[in-house]
Amino acid sequence: VRRALDNAWNELTEAERRLAESSRKQQHLTRIRRECDEALLRFIVSLSASLDTAFSEIPLVIQKIKEVRSARSKGSKDSSTPTSTVASPSAESDHDSWEHLKVLTFSKLLVGTFTFQLVHILLRAQLHILGREHYLDGRGGQSPSHAARGQLLSHTYNHLLGDGLRELAAHVKEVAGHALSGVSFTQKLDIETLASLLSSIRNKVEGTDAGVCPLARFVIANESVGVSEETARLLDETWDVVESPQFAAAYNASVGRSFDVLVGQLQQTVFTNTGGSSPVGRPLPSLLVHVKPSKTIFLIDDSDRSVHADATSALLEVAALSDAVFDSIEEELR
C-alpha cells in the first residue's frame, strides 16, 4: 500500500510540475507574441522610409509630368501669339514618363507587400529564437546578452531594409516592366483585372523554388562581418529558419492573405462608387493615386493596429513556424 501511495504521490507531483511548466511556457509565448505585434508596428515607420528611398524616382517623375502638362497648357494659350517661343512638349516624352510612373507605382506597392510580410515573419521567428533562449535560461541555460540581441536585430534589418530591399526593388521593377507593357493608360481596369495583374507579377517575381522561401536571398546578408561569436550563432539559426519549409509556408500563406486584404481595400476605396453601388472600372492614371503602400499595406486603423499584420499573424502556418522555432530549432526545422 505504501508503495502504491508513493507512486501515486510521485505521479501527482510530476503532473503538477508539467502543468506549472506548461503554464510558464504559455505565459512566455504570450509575452513573445505581444512583443512581436508591438515591434512590427515600430518597424512600419522604418520600412515606409526605406521604401520611399528605394523609389525616390517617383516624385521626380510626377514633377516631370506636371511640368510637361503646364508647358503644354501655356503653349496652347500662346499659340495665337506669333512671337511666342514656347516649344510644344514632346508627346513621346510624356508617354515615357507615364509608363515609368506606372511601373514604379505598382512595383512599390508589391515591394511594400513582400517586404512587410518578410519583416513580419522574420521578426516573429527571431523573437521566438531569443524568447526560447530566455526561457531555457530559466531552466539552467544561458540567454543571449543584450549586446548580442541588439547586434542580431540591427544586422538583420539594416540589410533587409537596405541592400536587400533595393535588390528586391530592382528585381520587381524589371518583372513589372514586362508584365505591364501591354497595359495602356487609355484603358479602364476593373478590380478583377488589377488583381490578376498583381498576382501575375507576384508569380513571376517569386519563381518556382519549391520548399524554400522564394525571396530568401533578399532577407539576410551572406556575410556576418563585425559581429560577435554569440551573434554569429544566432544569425546561423536565423538562416536555418529562413531556409526551412516552415518559413516558406508561413511566407506564402501571409503574402497570399495580404494580397486578399489588399484587393479588398482597393475594391472598397477605388472600385466602388459612393453609396456602395456596383463595382466600376477606373482609368489607370486615376488608380495610381490610390495604389500606395501608405493607404494599404502600412495602414494603421483607429485602434493603432496593423490591418495586414492582424490578417496574417493568426494563420496556422505562422503559428506552426513560431512553435517550431521555440520548441526545437535543431529538430523541428530540418
Side-chain angles (χ1 to χ4, degrees), residues 43 46-47 50-51 53-54 111 115 118-119 122 126 150-169 215-225 227 235 238-239 242:
F43 262 104
S46 298
L47 177 52
S50 298
L51 195 64
T53 299
V111 172
T115 309
L118 285 172
V119 169
L122 185 61
Q126 286 187 317
Q151 267 195 337
L152 171 68
L153 298 177
S154 63
H155 184 85
T156 300
Y157 299 100
N158 283 344
H159 174 78
L160 180 53
L161 300 184
D163 290 342
L165 189 149
R166 285 189 290 271
E167 291 167 8
L168 175 58
L215 304 183
R217 66 187 186 276
F218 303 110
V219 174
I220 299 179
N222 291 326
E223 298 182 354
S224 303
V225 179
V227 300
L235 286 168
T238 300
W239 255 124
V242 172

Side-chain angles (χ1 to χ4, degrees), residues 310-329:
D310 284 350
T312 55
S313 60
L315 290 173
L316 293 178
E317 294 85 352
V318 175
L321 173 67
S322 299
D323 290 343
V325 170
F326 189 86
D327 290 338
S328 175
I329 197 165

Side-chain angles (χ1 to χ4, degrees), residues 22-36:
S22 176
S23 176
R24 176 174 174 266
K25 177 181 175 182
Q26 190 55 52
Q27 290 175 358
H28 208 75
L29 286 170
T30 299
R31 179 182 60 78
I32 293 171
R33 288 164 189 179
R34 184 173 62 250
E35 288 178 355
C36 290

